[in-house]
Amino acid sequence: MTVHPSLQTYADAWTHSVESIAELVKPLVEGEWNRRTPCPGWSVRDIVSHVIGMECEQLGDPRPIHTLPRDLYHVQNDHQRYMEMQVDVRRHHTAPEMTSELEYTLIRRMRQLRNESRAPETMVRAPLGAEQTLELALHMRAFDVWVHEQDLRTTLGQPGNLDSPGALIVRDTLLVGLAKVVAKDAGAPHNSAVVFDVHGPLEFLRTVRVDGEGRGSVDGAPSLGPVATLAMDWETYYRLACGRVRAQAVEDRIKVDGDQELAAEILRHFAVTP
């Protein structure tokens, strides 16, 4: 790799996850590509189509000219319509077509990353005609492919990589949204603290502190008198935060101490991904 040092972590995590995705889907027979995944509205084929499409856009390929059907219940806003285009255009592709396009796209992307000489702050293409820095683009691709790798693993009954390089990026990215969930969305009291104790393949303890103005911040120091403590395993945490499951479906995997009503509000607003 010749990418800039600040991009290397994201490039390595992305590579680890996309290679895992390719290995997971390579042996699948035709019918398995239609299996539903935890990603709302998407099958195995749809997730792989999304990965292919997003990497093609990073390569600068033109977007497909395609009209979406009107009966896609899970498509409800412009962002979802944008993402669905690359998915729906491949819905009738066969298993060999999917695996060969994925392999070819990943070869092209890996070559692009090996030869990457642009600075991290270079502006590049982003969804909906926007722009973002190269560093953010690669960060979000590393995040996206790890979450979708886990979607596929859940569907195919092949757990793994919950502590991979991509998992660390996903953890840190999800934690950025935690202060807003607690302080604003759930309305935690001013001058209070809520502790999250996460165990499993990734273990971490984080405290969200809400100041006298109602602003939240996250740190790694324990609180002596939290208003609530939520304990759960890492898989449950990321699935909740990525909107893959609702709290009611995994309540046996969540332990709450303290203010039960506040904890319920936090869990109700826990999903931070679009």
Side-chain angles (χ1 to χ4, degrees), residues 42 45-68 72 79-93 98 101 105 125:
W42 280 2
R45 176 185 282 99
D46 296 340
I47 282 180
V48 176
S49 296
H50 168 71
V51 171
I52 292 170
M54 291 300 100
E55 302 308 336
C56 285
E57 294 196 15
Q58 291 300 306
L59 284 159
D61 294 355
R63 278 175 57 76
I65 299 172
H66 180 71
T67 302
L68 290 177
L72 299 175
H79 181 266
Q80 291 169 341
R81 274 187 284 276
Y82 184 96
M83 294 299 174
E84 197 71 20
M85 197 74 75
Q86 294 278 13
V87 172
D88 193 67
V89 76
R90 293 175 172 85
R91 282 216 159 96
H92 299 293
H93 288 196
M98 293 299 300
E101 187 181 11
T105 302
R125 179 177 179 175

Side-chain angles (χ1 to χ4, degrees), residues 117-247:
S117 59
R118 294 173 293 178
E121 62 271 17
T122 303
M123 300 305 292
V124 300
R125 179 177 179 175
L128 293 170
E131 287 190 326
Q132 59 190 348
T133 65
L134 176 61
E135 183 170 8
L136 179 59
L138 195 48
H139 179 167
M140 295 316 298
R141 293 309 309 134
F143 177 98
D144 194 54
V145 295
W146 184 87
V147 173
H148 288 313
E149 177 198 342
Q150 293 304 318
D151 288 334
L152 295 173
R153 288 188 178 282
T154 298
T155 300
L156 300 172
Q158 296 191 40
N161 288 350
L162 283 167
D163 58 352
S164 67
L168 298 174
I169 291 171
V170 170
R171 177 200 63 189
D172 293 345
T173 306
L174 293 176
L175 284 171
V176 170
L178 195 56
K180 177 179 178 291
V181 168
V182 173
K184 183 178 179 181
D185 299 336
H190 292 191
N191 299 308
S192 68
V194 176
V195 171
F196 295 84
D197 185 1
V198 178
H199 56 273
L202 280 190
E203 292 190 352
F204 55 94
L205 185 143
R206 294 292 186 275
T207 301
V208 178
R209 303 182 194 278
V210 184
D211 65 17
E213 304 294 319
R215 292 185 296 262
S217 61
V218 182
D219 64 54
S223 171
L224 295 179
V227 66
T229 299
L230 292 85
M232 66 188 82
D233 62 274
W234 162 236
E235 185 176 6
T236 300
Y237 185 99
Y238 97 75
R239 292 180 72 199
L240 284 168
C242 292
R244 281 358 189 216
V245 67
R246 294 186 183 276

